[in-house]
Amino acid sequence: MVNRQPQTALAVFDDMLEQGVESDTVSLTLRLRALIAVESPPSAASLQEAIEQLQEMATSTAARRPNAISYNAVLEGCVQAARVRVRDRDRVRVRDRVRVRVRVRVRDRVR
């Protein structure tokens, strides 16, 4: 569902927060999926925002901690971005940072 209307999903998430509803793992994971789906392939900015949210989730309370679906959403975006031929240096730098951060996070979660 998110893949079909990512802008709507992001707007609903923002409305939810404005109304005082606290986010949890499910709502944050849906936001991750929406960030990745806004553009195909995801932009460097969208990937960066998704990675930053995932990092925040990893250090958050139990109700907001990422699960396998959360990590998979970001990894899916990384794969989509990697499939596209990278032409400018900024995108290369972001892709390399994504690899390092994902490796570190996965290694931390395994321990």
Side-chain angles (χ1 to χ4, degrees), residues 72-87:
N72 189 45
V74 175
L75 289 172
E76 181 180 326
C78 294
V79 168
Q80 289 175 14
R83 286 184 181 157
V84 175
R85 186 177 216 135
V86 179
R87 293 189 178 150

Side-chain angles (χ1 to χ4, degrees), residues 45-69:
S46 293
L47 277 175
Q48 186 65 37
E49 187 173 348
I51 290 166
E52 288 171 4
Q53 179 183 311
L54 192 62
Q55 289 174 332
E56 288 175 24
M57 291 171 69
T59 59
S60 191
T61 62
R64 297 176 52 141
R65 289 262 164 93
N67 57 23
I69 298 168

Side-chain angles (χ1 to χ4, degrees), residues 4 21 24 26 30 36 44 46 49 54-55 70 81 84 91:
R4 294 187 191 141
V21 178
D24 61 3
V26 173
L30 288 171
I36 298 301
S46 293
E49 187 173 348
L54 192 62
Q55 289 174 332
S70 308
V84 175
R91 291 186 81 176

Side-chain angles (χ1 to χ4, degrees), residues 5-74:
Q5 298 179 347
Q7 298 287 16
T8 302
L10 292 171
V12 168
F13 182 85
D14 291 341
D15 289 345
M16 180 187 86
L17 294 180
E18 286 175 13
Q19 294 178 15
V21 178
E22 289 193 33
S23 58
D24 61 3
T25 299
V26 173
S27 61
L28 289 167
T29 299
L30 288 171
R31 184 175 186 278
L32 287 172
R33 293 185 66 205
L35 286 169
I36 298 301
V38 168
E39 300 173 83
S40 183
S43 69
S46 293
L47 277 175
Q48 186 65 37
E49 187 173 348
I51 290 166
E52 288 171 4
Q53 179 183 311
L54 192 62
Q55 289 174 332
E56 288 175 24
M57 291 171 69
T59 59
S60 191
T61 62
R64 297 176 52 141
R65 289 262 164 93
N67 57 23
I69 298 168
S70 308
Y71 284 101
N72 189 45
V74 175

